[in-house]
Each structure stands twice: as C-alpha cells, then as structure tokens.
Amino acid sequence: CGIAGTRRRLVMEQWASELGLAVAEGTLTLAELRSADEVFYCNALVGLRPVAALNDISWTSHEVCQKLFARYRGELS
C-alpha cells in the first residue's frame, strides 16, 4: 500500500537514471520477486532500506540499494 511519496519520486525520476538504471512501475508476481537480484523499499522516514527476506525468499546482494542510499545521503548533505 505504498504511496507516490517524495523518496519514491526521487528514486524513480532522478537517482536511478543518474546511476544508469531503467525504472518501470508495475505489479510483480511472486515468481518475479523470486527472480529479483535485490529488493528495497523507501520512504521519507527511513530513506532506503534493503529487503533481506520475504517468506522463503532471501536476498543477499544490495548493491543498487547501497548506491541509491549513497545518493540519498548526498541529498541530505
């Protein structure tokens, strides 16, 4: 039940493209989540946070989230 908030907008409209990442909005199936390299969430309270696990799915790589978080911290400086 995410909203179109400020951090989401910055990730989708600015930071991702600065890192050379393509962004598309959509609904993911559980199978698509299983095949994801990494998953993260963002909001104005916590910034960006990687997701380590969801049910029986786990992610150990968070390279993109780390790069986006570095960009987020740069905005705060």
Tab-separated table of all heavy atoms in Angstrom, residues 30-65:
chain	number	residue	atom	x	y	z
A	30	LEU	N	4.817	-13.212	-7.440
A	30	LEU	CA	5.743	-13.859	-6.524
A	30	LEU	C	6.904	-14.494	-7.298
A	30	LEU	O	8.056	-14.429	-6.864
A	30	LEU	CB	5.019	-14.916	-5.687
A	30	LEU	CG	5.807	-15.514	-4.527
A	30	LEU	CD1	6.362	-14.442	-3.604
A	30	LEU	CD2	4.942	-16.486	-3.757
A	31	ALA	N	6.628	-15.039	-8.463
A	31	ALA	CA	7.678	-15.623	-9.297
A	31	ALA	C	8.684	-14.555	-9.729
A	31	ALA	O	9.890	-14.799	-9.753
A	31	ALA	CB	7.073	-16.308	-10.520
A	32	GLU	N	8.210	-13.364	-10.058
A	32	GLU	CA	9.110	-12.273	-10.442
A	32	GLU	C	9.960	-11.823	-9.254
A	32	GLU	O	11.144	-11.530	-9.410
A	32	GLU	CB	8.320	-11.109	-11.028
A	32	GLU	CG	7.736	-11.423	-12.390
A	32	GLU	CD	6.740	-10.389	-12.865
A	32	GLU	OE1	5.947	-9.886	-12.046
A	32	GLU	OE2	6.760	-10.086	-14.069
A	33	LEU	N	9.354	-11.774	-8.070
A	33	LEU	CA	10.121	-11.438	-6.875
A	33	LEU	C	11.209	-12.474	-6.618
A	33	LEU	O	12.327	-12.138	-6.250
A	33	LEU	CB	9.213	-11.341	-5.647
A	33	LEU	CG	8.543	-10.009	-5.405
A	33	LEU	CD1	7.598	-10.093	-4.217
A	33	LEU	CD2	9.567	-8.923	-5.179
A	34	ARG	N	10.882	-13.738	-6.821
A	34	ARG	CA	11.860	-14.811	-6.623
A	34	ARG	C	13.074	-14.629	-7.529
A	34	ARG	O	14.185	-14.977	-7.155
A	34	ARG	CB	11.245	-16.174	-6.888
A	34	ARG	CG	10.344	-16.670	-5.814
A	34	ARG	CD	9.887	-18.114	-6.089
A	34	ARG	NE	8.815	-18.491	-5.215
A	34	ARG	CZ	8.956	-18.764	-3.925
A	34	ARG	NH1	10.148	-18.700	-3.375
A	34	ARG	NH2	7.920	-19.095	-3.196
A	35	SER	N	12.868	-14.080	-8.706
A	35	SER	CA	13.974	-13.940	-9.652
A	35	SER	C	14.684	-12.582	-9.536
A	35	SER	O	15.656	-12.337	-10.249
A	35	SER	CB	13.483	-14.150	-11.085
A	35	SER	OG	12.627	-13.108	-11.472
A	36	ALA	N	14.225	-11.720	-8.633
A	36	ALA	CA	14.836	-10.401	-8.473
A	36	ALA	C	16.238	-10.516	-7.889
A	36	ALA	O	16.488	-11.339	-7.004
A	36	ALA	CB	13.970	-9.530	-7.566
A	37	ASP	N	17.156	-9.708	-8.391
A	37	ASP	CA	18.511	-9.672	-7.847
A	37	ASP	C	18.532	-9.053	-6.452
A	37	ASP	O	19.306	-9.456	-5.598
A	37	ASP	CB	19.438	-8.868	-8.762
A	37	ASP	CG	19.656	-9.536	-10.099
A	37	ASP	OD1	19.622	-10.784	-10.164
A	37	ASP	OD2	19.854	-8.814	-11.085
A	38	GLU	N	17.697	-8.058	-6.251
A	38	GLU	CA	17.572	-7.434	-4.940
A	38	GLU	C	16.250	-6.695	-4.851
A	38	GLU	O	15.618	-6.397	-5.858
A	38	GLU	CB	18.729	-6.494	-4.629
A	38	GLU	CG	18.814	-5.265	-5.508
A	38	GLU	CD	20.000	-4.392	-5.141
A	38	GLU	OE1	19.903	-3.635	-4.134
A	38	GLU	OE2	21.015	-4.462	-5.838
A	39	VAL	N	15.827	-6.412	-3.620
A	39	VAL	CA	14.568	-5.717	-3.360
A	39	VAL	C	14.840	-4.691	-2.268
A	39	VAL	O	15.580	-4.959	-1.328
A	39	VAL	CB	13.471	-6.711	-2.906
A	39	VAL	CG1	12.209	-5.989	-2.486
A	39	VAL	CG2	13.177	-7.718	-4.009
A	40	PHE	N	14.255	-3.505	-2.409
A	40	PHE	CA	14.381	-2.496	-1.368
A	40	PHE	C	13.072	-1.719	-1.290
A	40	PHE	O	12.216	-1.807	-2.156
A	40	PHE	CB	15.561	-1.553	-1.625
A	40	PHE	CG	15.402	-0.665	-2.824
A	40	PHE	CD1	14.801	0.582	-2.713
A	40	PHE	CD2	15.843	-1.081	-4.067
A	40	PHE	CE1	14.663	1.398	-3.825
A	40	PHE	CE2	15.715	-0.270	-5.180
A	40	PHE	CZ	15.123	0.977	-5.060
A	41	TYR	N	12.929	-0.968	-0.220
A	41	TYR	CA	11.790	-0.062	-0.095
A	41	TYR	C	12.318	1.297	0.349
A	41	TYR	O	13.453	1.418	0.816
A	41	TYR	CB	10.727	-0.604	0.871
A	41	TYR	CG	11.152	-0.654	2.315
A	41	TYR	CD1	10.832	0.378	3.178
A	41	TYR	CD2	11.876	-1.738	2.815
A	41	TYR	CE1	11.213	0.332	4.511
A	41	TYR	CE2	12.254	-1.791	4.134
A	41	TYR	CZ	11.921	-0.759	4.982
A	41	TYR	OH	12.304	-0.797	6.303
A	42	CYS	N	11.513	2.315	0.170
A	42	CYS	CA	11.936	3.647	0.569
A	42	CYS	C	10.741	4.451	1.048
A	42	CYS	O	9.606	4.205	0.658
A	42	CYS	CB	12.633	4.364	-0.588
A	42	CYS	SG	11.602	4.628	-2.037
A	43	ASN	N	11.040	5.389	1.933
A	43	ASN	CA	10.059	6.382	2.350
A	43	ASN	C	10.797	7.529	3.025
A	43	ASN	O	12.008	7.463	3.246
A	43	ASN	CB	8.961	5.774	3.233
A	43	ASN	CG	9.455	5.254	4.558
A	43	ASN	OD1	10.307	5.848	5.206
A	43	ASN	ND2	8.908	4.130	4.981
A	44	ALA	N	10.087	8.568	3.352
A	44	ALA	CA	10.707	9.763	3.907
A	44	ALA	C	11.216	9.541	5.327
A	44	ALA	O	12.101	10.256	5.777
A	44	ALA	CB	9.708	10.927	3.884
A	45	LEU	N	10.714	8.543	6.034
A	45	LEU	CA	11.146	8.304	7.410
A	45	LEU	C	12.446	7.521	7.491
A	45	LEU	O	13.301	7.816	8.308
A	45	LEU	CB	10.059	7.566	8.196
A	45	LEU	CG	8.754	8.337	8.407
A	45	LEU	CD1	7.729	7.455	9.098
A	45	LEU	CD2	9.013	9.596	9.201
A	46	VAL	N	12.605	6.491	6.651
A	46	VAL	CA	13.778	5.615	6.756
A	46	VAL	C	14.750	5.769	5.595
A	46	VAL	O	15.815	5.167	5.600
A	46	VAL	CB	13.373	4.133	6.875
A	46	VAL	CG1	12.525	3.889	8.103
A	46	VAL	CG2	12.679	3.634	5.630
A	47	GLY	N	14.398	6.555	4.608
A	47	GLY	CA	15.252	6.658	3.422
A	47	GLY	C	15.065	5.432	2.550
A	47	GLY	O	13.952	5.126	2.142
A	48	LEU	N	16.144	4.691	2.311
A	48	LEU	CA	16.083	3.458	1.528
A	48	LEU	C	16.583	2.313	2.393
A	48	LEU	O	17.601	2.447	3.067
A	48	LEU	CB	16.979	3.561	0.284
A	48	LEU	CG	16.459	4.460	-0.823
A	48	LEU	CD1	16.917	5.869	-0.630
A	48	LEU	CD2	16.895	3.928	-2.147
A	49	ARG	N	15.889	1.192	2.340
A	49	ARG	CA	16.258	0.018	3.119
A	49	ARG	C	16.181	-1.226	2.243
A	49	ARG	O	15.185	-1.441	1.551
A	49	ARG	CB	15.318	-0.189	4.295
A	49	ARG	CG	15.309	0.921	5.282
A	49	ARG	CD	16.405	0.714	6.309
A	49	ARG	NE	16.143	1.610	7.406
A	49	ARG	CZ	17.021	2.431	7.911
A	49	ARG	NH1	18.225	2.465	7.440
A	49	ARG	NH2	16.717	3.217	8.893
A	50	PRO	N	17.206	-2.065	2.305
A	50	PRO	CA	17.151	-3.317	1.563
A	50	PRO	C	16.213	-4.303	2.251
A	50	PRO	O	16.035	-4.253	3.465
A	50	PRO	CB	18.595	-3.818	1.611
A	50	PRO	CG	19.170	-3.208	2.835
A	50	PRO	CD	18.481	-1.874	2.993
A	51	VAL	N	15.627	-5.177	1.464
A	51	VAL	CA	14.803	-6.264	1.997
A	51	VAL	C	15.677	-7.512	1.995
A	51	VAL	O	16.200	-7.902	0.953
A	51	VAL	CB	13.530	-6.479	1.148
A	51	VAL	CG1	12.751	-7.691	1.633
A	51	VAL	CG2	12.664	-5.228	1.172
A	52	ALA	N	15.858	-8.126	3.164
A	52	ALA	CA	16.696	-9.323	3.269
A	52	ALA	C	15.906	-10.581	2.959
A	52	ALA	O	16.444	-11.523	2.374
A	52	ALA	CB	17.305	-9.419	4.664
A	53	ALA	N	14.617	-10.602	3.353
A	53	ALA	CA	13.831	-11.825	3.156
A	53	ALA	C	12.351	-11.515	3.111
A	53	ALA	O	11.888	-10.540	3.703
A	53	ALA	CB	14.113	-12.813	4.277
A	54	LEU	N	11.634	-12.359	2.412
A	54	LEU	CA	10.171	-12.320	2.346
A	54	LEU	C	9.707	-13.758	2.247
A	54	LEU	O	10.013	-14.441	1.255
A	54	LEU	CB	9.695	-11.518	1.130
A	54	LEU	CG	8.197	-11.515	0.875
A	54	LEU	CD1	7.467	-10.784	2.007
A	54	LEU	CD2	7.872	-10.888	-0.465
A	55	ASN	N	9.034	-14.209	3.276
A	55	ASN	CA	8.638	-15.621	3.355
A	55	ASN	C	9.865	-16.500	3.160
A	55	ASN	O	10.826	-16.370	3.902
A	55	ASN	CB	7.529	-15.939	2.362
A	55	ASN	CG	6.243	-15.191	2.676
A	55	ASN	OD1	5.986	-14.836	3.821
A	55	ASN	ND2	5.448	-14.929	1.671
A	56	ASP	N	9.892	-17.346	2.145
A	56	ASP	CA	11.034	-18.246	1.934
A	56	ASP	C	12.036	-17.706	0.917
A	56	ASP	O	12.959	-18.404	0.518
A	56	ASP	CB	10.536	-19.617	1.487
A	56	ASP	CG	9.844	-19.581	0.131
A	56	ASP	OD1	9.303	-18.527	-0.229
A	56	ASP	OD2	9.846	-20.610	-0.568
A	57	ILE	N	11.893	-16.452	0.506
A	57	ILE	CA	12.798	-15.832	-0.457
A	57	ILE	C	13.786	-14.959	0.313
A	57	ILE	O	13.393	-14.244	1.245
A	57	ILE	CB	12.033	-14.938	-1.459
A	57	ILE	CG1	10.840	-15.667	-2.048
A	57	ILE	CG2	12.957	-14.447	-2.558
A	57	ILE	CD1	9.872	-14.750	-2.771
A	58	SER	N	15.061	-14.985	-0.083
A	58	SER	CA	16.028	-14.104	0.567
A	58	SER	C	16.939	-13.474	-0.471
A	58	SER	O	17.152	-14.031	-1.554
A	58	SER	CB	16.845	-14.864	1.606
A	58	SER	OG	17.589	-15.890	0.991
A	59	TRP	N	17.442	-12.298	-0.133
A	59	TRP	CA	18.357	-11.561	-0.987
A	59	TRP	C	19.577	-11.194	-0.155
A	59	TRP	O	19.449	-10.717	0.972
A	59	TRP	CB	17.709	-10.287	-1.526
A	59	TRP	CG	16.534	-10.547	-2.395
A	59	TRP	CD1	16.547	-10.793	-3.738
A	59	TRP	CD2	15.158	-10.606	-2.016
A	59	TRP	NE1	15.276	-10.996	-4.197
A	59	TRP	CE2	14.399	-10.892	-3.161
A	59	TRP	CE3	14.489	-10.456	-0.801
A	59	TRP	CZ2	13.015	-11.012	-3.137
A	59	TRP	CZ3	13.113	-10.581	-0.774
A	59	TRP	CH2	12.394	-10.860	-1.936
A	60	THR	N	20.755	-11.395	-0.727
A	60	THR	CA	21.983	-11.060	-0.013
A	60	THR	C	22.723	-9.905	-0.670
A	60	THR	O	23.535	-9.252	-0.041
A	60	THR	CB	22.922	-12.276	0.072
A	60	THR	OG1	23.177	-12.756	-1.248
A	60	THR	CG2	22.289	-13.385	0.910
A	61	SER	N	22.450	-9.654	-1.924
A	61	SER	CA	23.095	-8.562	-2.636
A	61	SER	C	22.216	-7.317	-2.554
A	61	SER	O	21.012	-7.391	-2.781
A	61	SER	CB	23.303	-8.933	-4.107
A	61	SER	OG	23.766	-7.813	-4.826
A	62	HIS	N	22.838	-6.205	-2.223
A	62	HIS	CA	22.086	-4.942	-2.123
A	62	HIS	C	22.880	-3.807	-2.762
A	62	HIS	O	22.850	-2.669	-2.289
A	62	HIS	CB	21.755	-4.635	-0.663
A	62	HIS	CG	21.032	-5.745	0.023
A	62	HIS	ND1	19.735	-6.070	-0.267
A	62	HIS	CD2	21.438	-6.635	0.945
A	62	HIS	CE1	19.362	-7.094	0.474
A	62	HIS	NE2	20.387	-7.459	1.209
A	63	GLU	N	23.582	-4.102	-3.825
A	63	GLU	CA	24.454	-3.139	-4.488
A	63	GLU	C	23.692	-1.906	-4.978
A	63	GLU	O	24.130	-0.767	-4.766
A	63	GLU	CB	25.165	-3.806	-5.657
A	63	GLU	CG	26.136	-2.913	-6.364
A	63	GLU	CD	26.837	-3.619	-7.519
A	63	GLU	OE1	26.974	-4.848	-7.498
A	63	GLU	OE2	27.248	-2.901	-8.447
A	64	VAL	N	22.573	-2.115	-5.630
A	64	VAL	CA	21.790	-0.987	-6.149
A	64	VAL	C	21.242	-0.150	-5.000
A	64	VAL	O	21.331	1.074	-5.014
A	64	VAL	CB	20.655	-1.468	-7.081
A	64	VAL	CG1	19.709	-0.330	-7.428
A	64	VAL	CG2	21.235	-2.102	-8.331
A	65	CYS	N	20.711	-0.798	-3.990
A	65	CYS	CA	20.186	-0.062	-2.840
A	65	CYS	C	21.285	0.744	-2.181
A	65	CYS	O	21.075	1.898	-1.803
A	65	CYS	CB	19.547	-1.023	-1.837
A	65	CYS	SG	18.765	-0.175	-0.444
